[in-house]
Amino acid sequence: MKGAAAGGDNVVRIAVAGESGTGKSSLIAAAINNKFQNFLPRILQPSRLIVDLDPDHVPVTIIDTRSDNIANIVETLSSADAVVLTYSSGMLLTLERLEQDWLPRLQLPPVILVGCMLGMKDSKLELSVRETVYRMMDAHSQIETWIECSAFEHIKIPEVFYYATKAVVYPTDPLYDTTQRYFTPRCVSALKRIFNLCDLNNDGALSTEEWFNLQCLMIAQLELSTVKGILQSYLKEGFYENVALPFSSFLFIQEYYIREQQSEVTWTILRRFGYNNEIRLRDDQLPAIKRDPDQSLELTSRALEFLRRRFVSIAKSGDVLQPAMLADLFSVAPEKVIYFSLFFYSSHFPWNEAPYQHATEKTATGGLFLDKFLSLWALMLLLDPNRSVKTLLYIGYDSDPSSSIRITCRRRSDRKKQQTKRNVYQCFVFGQEDAGKSALLNTFIGRHFREEYVPTAFHRYAVNVVHQPMDALAACDVAVFVHDSSLEPSWVKAKKMLLDVASHGKATGYEMPCLIVAFSNPPTEHHDSTEVSQDLGIEAPIHLNTELVEPSNIFGRIVEAAEHPHLSIPETTTRNSRRQYHWLISRFLFLKWHLLKLGLAAHAFSAIPLPLAGFFLHK
């Protein structure tokens, strides 16, 4: 939707159209000037009107149209937020023309069907008009309401534009299917999230105090006794005064007011909780995330504690979140949702799709332990920060969204301090096809090795908790180079990748610790790999035997390398030369200082130009 339909400050554009002579211009003039005018131009210029629809006083622009200019009408109506479609109350033919020629031909926004010239209405046509209007409203769902007015007697003129503006600012379609009489799935998800946020004691029902907190957000101050009276009257199973409101009753109340054409009650609640007209959380709810390529995002202790509490509250007495529990947790997010009656089930949630569904090990029934649950949150924050923060808000995080994440220090700063405060590390795994990369990832999350080789078609992720394009390398904490030690070509490829990554890190300043992992079955070793690790100044190759059920301490070694980002960085030729150059200069200045201290002649040394030291070095 356009204009104020998005919940912003834009003007609502209302176009007035209909058959010639049905009173379009008189209707507009009466609304603008609050009186009837005898002499009017053939078409009025767009006019501004203030509609007292809510405390914000929604601004409205009313646009007149010429019924004999079809091209102009189509263009005007396509850019309008709502349409007032007029007919003459005294001429049934003008109403029938709307049904036959206008509505089927034009793709219209919300429509207010307006019978003008009420004073000319023939009582003999009353029944025919009603039958025609009801038939039109059944056939065309975009017709929001029907109203009859008189510009000459100034009868119901303000109501016409009130209902037209209301159809834009508080649209029914995103909330409720009036034909099938059920809520849209996204509306149900949003209302359930709001219900959960208001249910402070998590007992599945709104107490008197909890209802009062929600009532303060409504445009109509609905007393709990009134709400319970409605429920008592309409619900077949009855409702008792001392019973708290379950979600089904809360949903029924919203449906009651929508069907009573008071959708502003539901929309006020939704917007107070941060929703836009698409019933998604507005982007302005999210913190601005600005970081350098070698900085990462992590969940704060506050966010982690919230997730632990949610895990415990959903798992109840168990220590595993089963798939149905996860579906219920994410059902409040506007993802793909299947709707049944008053209950809804999420067939897809963020971790039921690539690359999350295979990123961590699950129980035999598909459940997640707490550490796996938190690991997947860390992965989602890594891959899609905005979605992660939004999902946190959807599932009930009610603190400032910016308090849920923190930006880590730059890696070059960590190297200078020779320590890091990161809690989540990214490890990139390189290697030739069939070198054992997927086997390493499977080992990381506790999966058994596969006997047969299955090539990896897409990027693969694995996340777990460990106790203890080349520009993308900026995000890498540790690089692991995997090879099959029984195959010479596998090692050659891994070595080339290692040297390429090391050179790129030197060129860009995004240097990182590097480790070599040799898969062996039975154990074999290429002495060249040991020599390369010594030449580059990194750890000796780590051997991993595929026949062992438990892996070695490889993952502890990876974490240790990440925790000490100044170590295990490959010493490339240029990097090694630079270090020796700085060492030679420091030794030269140290010697010069000592000669001066001893009172000896030092002019010969001071005359040596610094580039000469570089010459000796390169020679």
Side-chain angles (χ1 to χ4, degrees):
M1 290 217 176
K2 303 172 285 294
D9 298 327
N10 295 333
V11 175
V12 174
R13 294 170 55 86
I14 299 176
V16 181
E19 290 291 306
S20 177
T22 56
K24 298 187 297 296
S25 298
S26 296
L27 171 64
I28 295 173
I32 299 298
N33 303 313
N34 205 29
K35 63 179 181 179
F36 178 74
Q37 292 182 248
N38 284 311
F39 302 102
L40 294 169
R42 187 173 184 183
I43 184 169
L44 299 177
Q45 295 298 313
S47 305
R48 181 64 61 89
L49 179 68
I50 299 297
V51 177
D52 292 329
L53 181 62
D54 60 16
D56 296 327
H57 302 299
V58 179
V60 172
T61 293
I62 304 177
I63 304 166
D64 197 3
T65 59
R66 288 180 57 177
S67 55
D68 60 347
N69 190 335
I70 299 299
N72 174 261
I73 292 174
V74 172
E75 181 180 358
T76 302
L77 298 189
S78 64
S79 63
D81 295 309
V83 171
V84 170
L85 208 53
T86 64
Y87 68 94
S88 173
S89 296
M91 297 179 62
L92 181 60
L93 179 62
T94 60
L95 178 61
E96 293 173 341
R97 289 285 302 272
L98 293 181
E99 180 184 21
Q100 297 168 4
D101 298 336
W102 287 71
L103 287 169
R105 186 169 55 185
L106 300 175
Q107 295 297 321
L108 298 175
V111 171
I112 307 300
L113 190 61
V114 178
C116 297
M117 308 183 210
L118 184 59
M120 298 175 59
K121 185 175 182 178
D122 188 344
S123 59
K124 296 179 182 180
L125 297 177
E126 178 72 25
L127 181 60
S128 297
V129 168
R130 287 187 176 276
E131 289 177 347
T132 304
V133 168
Y134 292 154
R135 183 174 64 246
M136 292 170 64
M137 295 184 72
D138 287 339
H140 302 279
S141 60
Q142 68 264 43
I143 300 178
E144 292 281 337
T145 191
W146 168 49
I147 189 170
E148 293 182 312
C149 67
S150 170
F152 181 76
E153 301 177 51
H154 206 78
I155 297 175
K156 293 189 177 180
I157 298 299
E159 285 84 344
V160 170
F161 296 99
Y162 169 83
Y163 284 114
T165 306
K166 181 179 174 181
V168 178
V169 180
Y170 304 121
T172 301
D173 286 350
L175 304 177
Y176 193 78
D177 187 321
T178 54
T179 303
Q180 301 297 325
R181 294 192 173 185
Y182 61 71
F183 280 100
T184 62
R186 196 172 292 171
C187 182
V188 176
S189 297
L191 291 175
K192 183 178 182 183
R193 170 181 175 255
I194 294 169
F195 181 89
N196 291 341
L197 289 173
C198 295
D199 182 16
L200 301 178
N201 58 6
N202 295 315
D203 65 348
L206 297 183
S207 64
T208 302
E209 181 180 358
E210 290 167 342
W211 175 264
F212 177 77
N213 293 334
L214 180 61
Q215 172 189 336
C216 294
L217 298 174
M218 294 185 179
I219 204 168
Q221 296 298 300
L222 306 176
E223 295 294 340
L224 186 58
S225 58
T226 303
V227 170
K228 290 183 175 181
I230 295 172
L231 293 171
Q232 183 70 46
S233 302
Y234 285 87
L235 293 183
K236 293 180 180 180
E237 65 271 20
F239 191 86
Y240 299 99
E241 186 70 22
N242 60 345
V243 177
L245 293 175
F247 178 65
S248 58
S249 297
F250 174 69
L251 204 60
F252 180 86
I253 288 296
Q254 302 305 318
E255 182 178 22
Y256 171 82
Y257 281 102
I258 290 173
R259 293 174 66 175
E260 290 292 314
Q261 296 188 336
Q262 296 184 46
S263 58
E264 61 269 25
V265 172
T266 303
W267 273 119
T268 300
I269 298 173
L270 290 171
R271 287 174 180 153
R272 294 290 174 84
F273 279 88
Y275 287 92
N276 58 21
N277 264 38
E278 295 177 350
I279 319 185
R280 297 182 184 274
L281 287 178
R282 299 190 306 269
D283 289 337
D284 61 12
Q285 303 288 298
L286 301 178
I289 301 175
K290 295 181 180 180
R291 66 187 191 277
D292 288 307
D294 61 342
Q295 291 180 294
S296 62
L297 293 175
E298 294 181 3
L299 291 170
T300 61
S301 57
R302 178 179 295 183
L304 289 171
E305 180 57 31
F306 163 76
L307 290 172
R308 290 188 184 96
R309 291 198 308 269
R310 293 293 285 141
F311 183 96
V312 171
S313 66
I314 296 173
K316 302 188 185 304
S317 58
D319 56 357
V320 175
L321 279 188
Q322 299 296 347
M325 298 175 181
L326 282 169
D328 184 63
L329 173 67
F330 290 116
S331 64
V332 293
E335 302 298 334
K336 302 172 185 176
V337 177
I338 301 176
Y339 180 85
F340 297 100
S341 184
L342 292 179
F343 305 96
F344 51 99
Y345 303 88
S346 177
S347 60
H348 291 78
F349 48 85
W351 301 342
N352 199 25
E353 59 189 33
Y356 305 101
Q357 75 270 43
H358 300 308
T360 193
E361 193 64 4
K362 302 175 183 177
T363 65
T365 57
L368 291 174
F369 289 103
L370 176 60
D371 57 347
K372 315 298 184 187
F373 176 74
L374 297 178
S375 295
L376 285 174
W377 274 105
L379 178 60
M380 187 161 67
L381 184 61
L382 165 70
L383 300 180
D384 197 340
N386 283 338
R387 185 184 189 188
S388 299
V389 177
K390 266 192 175 182
T391 306
L392 269 177
L393 297 178
Y394 280 127
I395 67 172
Y397 187 80
D398 55 0
S399 299
D400 183 352
S402 61
S403 70
S404 66
I405 57 175
R406 75 178 188 93
I407 301 176
T408 62
C409 293
R410 299 194 65 178
R411 287 184 179 84
R412 63 179 61 181
S413 175
D414 288 342
R415 287 198 299 272
K416 289 179 181 178
K417 293 183 293 187
Q418 300 187 2
Q419 63 178 353
T420 182
K421 293 183 179 180
R422 298 187 184 212
N423 298 310
V424 178
Y425 302 117
Q426 296 185 54
C427 175
F428 288 17
V429 180
F430 299 87
Q432 188 183 32
E433 183 179 348
D434 197 16
K437 301 184 296 298
S438 294
L440 178 63
L441 296 183
N442 285 334
T443 302
F444 182 49
I445 55 180
R447 291 187 185 143
H448 296 295
F449 293 102
R450 290 184 177 181
E451 294 295 333
E452 76 283 1
Y453 169 65
V454 179
T456 302
F458 303 99
H459 286 309
R460 165 87 185 281
Y461 295 87
V463 291
N464 207 343
V465 174
V466 176
H467 301 282
Q468 194 210 355
M470 295 302 286
D471 284 346
L473 292 176
C476 180
D477 290 296
V478 182
V480 174
F481 299 85
V482 180
H483 69 282
D484 186 334
S485 60
S486 65
L487 300 174
E488 179 69 25
S490 181
W491 161 241
V492 171
K493 181 67 173 180
K495 180 171 66 173
K496 182 180 184 305
M497 290 180 171
L498 170 58
L499 296 175
D500 288 346
V501 169
S503 298
H504 179 79
K506 164 62 179 66
T508 60
Y510 298 131
E511 298 161 300
M512 72 208 74
C514 294
L515 299 176
I516 300 172
V517 173
F519 273 88
S520 54
N521 186 18
T524 57
E525 180 178 358
H526 285 290
H527 292 290
D528 185 32
S529 63
T530 303
E531 294 173 1
V532 168
S533 64
Q534 292 174 349
D535 291 342
L536 294 177
I538 63 176
E539 288 191 40
I542 305 169
H543 294 277
L544 187 60
N545 191 335
T546 58
E547 292 182 344
L548 297 178
V549 177
E550 292 293 332
S552 65
N553 65 344
I554 177 174
F555 303 116
R557 300 269 291 276
I558 292 174
V559 171
E560 185 178 356
E563 289 177 337
H564 301 86
H566 62 296
L567 302 177
S568 297
I569 295 178
E571 297 282 357
T572 60
T573 302
T574 53
R575 177 184 173 89
N576 198 22
S577 299
R578 183 181 62 186
R579 177 169 294 184
Q580 293 184 39
Y581 174 81
H582 287 302
W583 177 86
L584 184 58
I585 294 300
S586 64
R587 295 299 298 170
F588 168 75
L589 295 176
F590 177 77
L591 177 60
K592 176 178 177 179
W593 179 80
H594 270 279
L595 291 176
L596 289 172
K597 186 175 181 182
L598 294 172
L600 300 176
H603 60 278
F605 291 95
S606 62
I608 300 177
L610 293 185
L612 187 59
F615 168 77
F616 290 140
L617 179 63
H618 290 293
K619 184 177 180 182

